[in-house]
Amino acid sequence: MIYRCPLCGDWCEYYIHGNSGYWLQTKNQAEVSDKTIIDEWNTISTPPAPDLQSIAVEPKNSALLVLDMETSICNNYRCIASISKINNLLTKTREMGMLVVYSLTQTGNPSDIAWQLAPSLGDTIVKSNVDKFYKTILEKILQEHCVKTVLITGYAANGAVLHTATSAAFRGYDVIIPVDCMSAGNPYAEQYTAWHMLNSPGTRKRATLTKLNLISFLPFGYSQLNAKHGR
């Protein structure tokens, strides 16, 4: 590949020989004049998978968001496989008395939600594009329930999950994403979402990646103050 040499500043070929590499200045500048970042992307290594964190959730000030789990779009094996995981988390959050909020796409209806994840009477359902805060009452509902942390699940990882999680972080919420409770049409989209949440300036200080069996729930009413005093 041809790169801008960090030593001479000219366009050069970079060659690898054994355990070392060396730069060779190219003779044909016209040859490299049309090179773009696209060409360089082919040489970039995939980042390693992120570490997943064990986390204890305070039900009193947390909410579970179940995003766009509509059968009309949740019809690939990756999304279908996530339904049982989300259902498991949903059951636990309901047992703990946590707030649960659903979302739909612009054309979705409540009856489209996968039956295993069906909303309960009284659950809030918002409808918007990929950012579920956009022109909905989601933030109002979270504020009314004094929510500080949102657990975000659903489809698609690179759509509703990514943009709603980013929007939540911008609004000052701590964001927890169980990676086995989000899905996309292909693994790279899921990987990108995870990378973005942990590395983007707007989200990295607010985001935690975990998985279902690393999530525990504190007794309702338990506070960090109690934890500091060993109670």
Side-chain angles (χ1 to χ4, degrees):
M1 289 296 295
I2 299 172
Y3 303 94
R4 182 76 71 176
C5 175
L7 302 177
C8 68
D10 291 332
W11 288 101
C12 300
E13 293 273 6
Y14 185 73
Y15 293 89
I16 297 177
H17 180 71
N19 295 324
S20 62
Y22 62 94
W23 296 92
L24 180 64
Q25 188 170 11
T26 179
K27 300 292 186 180
N28 186 0
Q29 296 299 316
E31 178 185 347
V32 301
S33 62
D34 64 343
K35 294 291 181 180
T36 69
I37 189 64
I38 298 296
D39 300 287
E40 188 174 352
W41 280 347
N42 291 323
T43 70
I44 296 174
S45 299
T46 303
D51 292 330
L52 302 181
Q53 306 297 319
S54 296
I55 191 161
V57 176
E58 288 190 60
K60 184 178 180 180
N61 58 20
S62 302
L64 174 66
L65 308 187
V66 181
L67 306 182
D68 295 358
M69 290 299 291
E70 303 171 23
T71 55
S72 58
I73 58 175
C74 182
N75 51 21
N76 60 72
Y77 81 95
R78 300 189 70 81
C79 187
I80 293 171
S82 75
I83 292 176
S84 61
K85 301 285 189 179
I86 299 174
N87 178 59
N88 190 318
L89 183 58
L90 178 63
T91 299
K92 291 180 180 179
T93 57
R94 291 201 189 283
E95 290 173 351
M96 298 304 300
M98 268 177 57
L99 174 68
V100 179
V101 181
Y102 289 79
S103 81
L104 294 169
T105 62
Q106 293 280 24
T107 58
N109 294 295
S111 59
D112 298 328
I113 296 171
W115 66 266
Q116 301 93 325
L117 308 174
S120 294
L121 186 65
D123 285 340
T124 297
I125 303 175
V126 299
K127 180 183 288 193
S128 187
N129 56 21
V130 290
D131 178 2
K132 302 305 175 179
F133 286 91
Y134 181 70
K135 293 186 177 180
T136 73
I137 61 170
L138 177 55
E139 186 168 18
K140 178 176 179 290
I141 293 297
L142 297 181
Q143 290 176 344
E144 288 177 348
H145 287 79
C146 301
V147 169
K148 297 178 181 178
T149 301
V150 289
L151 285 76
I152 298 184
T153 67
Y155 188 85
N158 56 325
V161 172
L162 173 61
H163 294 283
T164 303
T166 299
S167 193
F170 286 168
R171 288 168 166 80
Y173 296 99
D174 292 322
V175 176
I176 299 172
I177 300 179
V179 296
D180 48 357
C181 294
M182 71 172 186
S183 61
N186 64 76
Y188 180 75
E190 298 168 16
Q191 180 192 35
Y192 166 73
T193 299
W195 185 93
H196 179 100
M197 292 304 301
L198 291 185
N199 291 276
S200 169
T203 58
R204 63 191 178 202
K205 293 183 179 180
R206 291 283 182 182
T208 299
L209 297 185
T210 186
K211 60 180 180 177
L212 186 60
N213 64 6
L214 293 179
I215 300 174
S216 60
F217 293 88
L218 299 173
F220 204 95
Y222 185 93
S223 69
Q224 294 301 325
L225 182 62
N226 289 337
K228 290 181 180 179
H229 290 278
R231 296 197 292 265

